[in-house]
Amino acid sequence: MPEKITIENLNAWFETKQALHDINLSIQENMITAIIGPSGCGKSTFIRCLNRMHEVVPKAKISGKVLVDGKNIYESDVDPVDIRRRIGMVFQKANPFPTMSISDNVVAGLKLSGVKDKKILDNIAEESLKKAALWDEVKNDLNKSGVSLSGGQQQRLCIARALAVEPEIILFDEPCSALDPISTSKIEDLMLELKEKYTIVIVTHNMQQAARVSDYTAFFLYGKLIEFGETNQIFKKPMEKSTEDYIVGRFG
Amino acid sequence: MKWNKRKLIDRIMSFLTAACVVIAIIPLLSILYTVTLNGISAINIDFLTQLPKPVGEAGGGLGNAIQGTFIVVGIACLIGLPVGILSGVYLSEYGENKFGRMVSFVADVLTGTPSIVAGIFGYTFIVLYFGFSAIAGGVAISVLMIPIVARTTEESLKLVPGSLREASLALGIPRWKTILHIVLSTAMSGIITGALLAIARVSGETAPLLLTAFGNPFWAVGIDKPISTLPAQIFTYAISPFPDWHTKAWGGALILIILILILNIGVRLITRRKYRV
Ligand SMILES: Nc1ncnc2c1ncn2[C@@H]1O[C@H](COP(=O)(O)OP(=O)(O)O)[C@@H](O)[C@H]1O
Ligand SMILES: [Mg+2]
């Protein structure tokens, strides 16, 4: 099975505080990999290292390698802007651009990288909204503000916005933690569809969600990777005591 | 009604705050009242469109002063808005360092600087070399605008949530484009408000203009020549011994207030959100 991302000896710091300790892990192409663990264990830090968003935080540092298709994205000749275009991200709190209409939100990434042709932009907006399962709900309101939508719709708008720049990988950081169960299941269905085309990494607090959608699961604790394997195995017979404790809710 | 201590304190506090509002508003209203009462009789079409008449002749107006004010304030905006807005962007987006803190300190000091100092600045660096001029006036009052615009821009940009910057960066939009297209546009109404408030604040300045634009009884002939401005013309009318000119001074003041009022209403209209949330 092809490895899309290989993480080797990854360490990450905030100023002097080390948030990740020597992570080694491989992420398979066209699979959903879930990252679980108690809050503060470094899940967000970890996925932000995969698209070079960690370095956006002042005084944040990193060591080790992240190979995407075999090439280290931290090599000096790599432009973080290109990496972020190839590796999209959806955040915990939906963050549409408040001054832009729904359709402008979707194509913001393209417009700002110089695509001007209105026809192309309209097509991509429609296509991306369809992929994000939002088209039918907004097709008559494309000129309304993105922030006029409900929370769940805003989150799917953010997914459409990430899809519009045609990434290869999408990182989700607790995308459903602010959403109701119906919106949550819509987004889960969506992820299962998206994995046909994309490689997906999702951070989640919700054990059932990890079990429902993911093929692989990584359990983090105190900045360390404790256990990694097929989701079935992690949930049915974890090797580590702390993994089991976390999954059955004994802590975290 | 049952009175207890909490309710009583609540009543007293809301009374006190209301009283303070009244105290703050009284001078404002009384100024508006006096200026309107004394100035309204001076205002007519001639007053708005004609040149001042020599002493002793009836009629005349301050058309050239209105024209001059627009020119001088326009020059001040051409200098003050770009410099102020860019400084604000620097302070908010790149200012977490020694130089940034120094700029920020200088901006604070400049905000508190008496306006006559800006006049002396214009006088020393421009008037002494090139003579009195509209440009000198514009430069002098742009010095007063820059710190206001820089500060309000900085504050508005800092109000833009970090999550929007991250959303943009994560789309593969470079930092400078993120600032230019996402951050600035989100903060736009705040920045425009700051700019208009700065314009309103400096358009009534008199002292720096007396030292730089000087004044001129005729229509503007060029931005490198002395030019009439409303505040300076009001000053000329007001210190004269003639009751007729005093009325004209009140009339000029009323026009200045109305212009500034229009600016402030403009601020209100612009800051209404483009999209209803
Ligand atoms: N911007 C930051 N500055 C300093 N420390 C941070 C910052 N963000 C996160 N941390 C710290 O790094 C650790 C990991 O955080 P995070 O990756 O956000 O955890 P999780 O997403 O698993 O809840 C936590 O101890 C947290 O306090
Ligand atoms: Mg997190």
Side-chain angles (χ1 to χ4, degrees):
Chain A
M1 208 175 326
E3 284 178 5
K4 186 68 181 173
I5 314 177
T6 311
I7 295 109
E8 289 176 4
N9 309 107
L10 179 70
N11 293 280
W13 292 263
F14 291 100
E15 218 157 336
T16 54
K17 181 186 156 54
Q18 186 162 7
L20 290 178
H21 299 264
D22 199 32
I23 310 291
N24 289 280
L25 176 67
S26 290
I27 288 166
Q28 309 296 323
E29 192 159 17
N30 297 113
M31 293 285 164
I32 300 183
T33 303
I35 313 288
I36 61 171
S39 48
C41 70
K43 305 182 295 294
S44 299
T45 310
F46 173 71
I47 64 165
R48 289 167 62 94
C49 288
L50 305 185
N51 66 341
R52 298 196 58 171
M53 283 298 285
H54 181 61
E55 65 205 54
V56 167
V57 178
K59 296 187 183 154
K61 259 192 332 189
I62 203 166
S63 80
K65 287 183 184 170
V66 175
L67 309 166
V68 176
D69 292 335
K71 175 149 173 62
N72 185 7
I73 62 171
Y74 284 96
E75 228 140 76
S76 57
D77 63 338
V78 177
D79 185 351
V81 165
D82 293 334
I83 294 302
R84 292 174 196 147
R85 217 164 277 163
R86 286 174 62 195
I87 309 179
M89 188 163 212
V90 175
F91 296 81
Q92 180 167 0
K93 194 169 169 294
N95 49 9
F97 300 126
T99 54
M100 293 185 191
S101 69
I102 289 174
S103 54
D104 281 347
N105 256 286
V106 178
V107 294
L110 294 168
K111 258 189 162 170
L112 293 185
S113 28
V115 182
K116 292 214 176 67
D117 190 318
K118 176 125 179 30
K119 238 190 178 150
I120 295 179
L121 290 173
D122 284 350
N123 279 337
I124 294 178
E126 176 172 346
E127 227 173 81
S128 311
L129 284 167
K130 278 179 178 160
K131 280 191 210 158
L134 187 60
W135 174 252
D136 290 329
E137 291 159 61
V138 301
K139 63 183 173 205
N140 298 319
D141 299 320
L142 291 175
N143 291 319
K144 276 203 189 154
S145 165
V147 288
S148 65
L149 299 172
S150 76
Q153 290 173 323
Q154 285 190 24
Q155 195 61 298
R156 276 178 283 146
L157 178 61
C158 293
I159 295 174
R161 181 176 69 185
L163 294 175
V165 289
E166 307 205 306
E168 300 154 33
I169 303 165
I170 310 173
L171 311 171
F172 289 87
D173 191 351
E174 302 195 33
C176 304
S177 63
L179 303 183
D180 60 276
I182 294 177
S183 309
T184 300
S185 81
K186 275 191 188 155
I187 289 185
E188 286 178 8
D189 291 346
L190 181 58
M191 275 191 271
L192 292 171
E193 267 171 50
L194 292 176
K195 84 171 189 177
E196 304 289 321
K197 283 219 182 113
Y198 306 88
T199 303
I200 293 178
V201 182
I202 174 179
V203 169
T204 176
H205 242 102
N206 179 330
M207 291 310 111
Q208 289 81 31
Q209 182 167 61
R212 276 193 302 263
V213 301
S214 71
D215 304 291
Y216 292 86
T217 297
F219 173 61
F220 278 61
L221 189 61
Y222 305 126
K224 297 192 175 92
L225 174 64
I226 303 297
E227 188 166 356
F228 175 62
E230 289 191 19
T231 298
N232 261 332
Q233 175 253 312
I234 297 277
F235 279 86
K236 296 230 167 78
K237 37 181 194 318
M239 318 263 225
E240 301 287 332
K241 176 82 172 56
S242 52
T243 312
E244 188 182 346
D245 287 349
Y246 181 71
I247 288 171
V248 301
R250 268 197 286 267
F251 72 91
Chain B
M1 202 198 310
K2 212 177 114 217
W3 283 92
N4 58 28
K5 200 170 155 211
R6 187 178 55 79
K7 270 188 188 152
L8 188 66
I9 290 178
D10 184 51
R11 279 297 170 91
I12 293 174
M13 290 315 284
S14 41
F15 174 77
L16 280 180
T17 49
C20 289
V21 171
V22 172
I23 291 173
I25 285 179
I26 285 175
L28 184 68
L29 287 181
S30 74
I31 288 172
L32 275 179
Y33 176 74
T34 323
V35 172
T36 311
L37 192 72
N38 292 312
I40 195 85
S41 65
I43 295 180
N44 51 48
I45 289 292
D46 283 357
F47 188 68
L48 295 177
T49 54
Q50 298 212 336
L51 292 176
K53 287 269 164 68
V55 182
E57 272 182 53
L62 30 67
N64 60 335
I66 296 175
Q67 178 203 33
T69 286
F70 278 107
I71 293 174
V72 171
V73 171
I75 293 171
C77 287
L78 283 182
I79 304 166
L81 294 183
V83 175
I85 290 173
L86 290 176
S87 312
V89 169
Y90 180 82
L91 288 177
S92 156
E93 306 298 316
Y94 302 96
E96 286 297 320
N97 53 44
K98 253 205 171 117
F99 180 67
R101 279 187 289 276
M102 200 181 77
V103 173
S104 164
F105 175 74
V106 171
D108 281 345
V109 172
L110 270 178
T111 313
T113 305
S115 59
I116 187 86
V117 175
I120 294 169
F121 168 84
Y123 186 82
T124 318
F125 289 100
I126 303 180
V127 175
L128 284 185
Y129 300 101
F130 304 104
F132 295 104
S133 67
I135 290 187
V139 169
I141 62 174
S142 75
V143 170
L144 297 170
M145 281 178 81
I146 289 168
I148 307 176
V149 176
R151 272 303 194 189
T152 48
T153 302
E154 180 192 359
E155 297 306 324
S156 324
L157 293 185
K158 282 191 168 157
L159 285 179
V160 175
S163 62
L164 290 184
R165 291 181 175 81
E166 295 214 321
S168 171
L169 292 174
L171 281 175
I173 298 171
R175 177 115 181 259
W176 67 272
K177 277 193 186 173
T178 297
I179 293 171
L180 197 64
H181 295 282
I182 307 290
V183 181
L184 275 177
S185 81
T186 308
M188 195 45 83
S189 68
I191 294 171
I192 294 177
T193 306
L196 290 181
L197 288 178
I199 294 171
R201 158 80 177 69
V202 300
S203 6
E205 280 299 342
T206 321
L209 291 179
L210 291 174
L211 285 176
T212 49
F214 190 68
N216 189 333
F218 306 107
W219 295 104
V221 280
I223 55 173
D224 56 341
K225 297 287 181 325
I227 194 166
S228 179
T229 57
L230 267 175
Q233 188 61 43
I234 293 168
F235 180 73
T236 312
Y237 279 142
I239 58 167
S240 76
F242 318 112
D244 173 44
W245 279 28
H246 291 168
T247 308
K248 289 202 162 70
W250 286 111
L254 183 57
I255 286 169
L256 196 53
I257 289 179
I258 290 172
L259 287 180
I260 291 170
L261 206 64
I262 292 174
L263 272 182
N264 279 292
I265 292 171
V267 170
R268 285 299 162 111
L269 292 181
I270 285 166
T271 50
R272 274 200 203 154
R273 293 191 67 98
K274 189 172 159 201
Y275 292 109
R276 288 183 194 279
V277 180

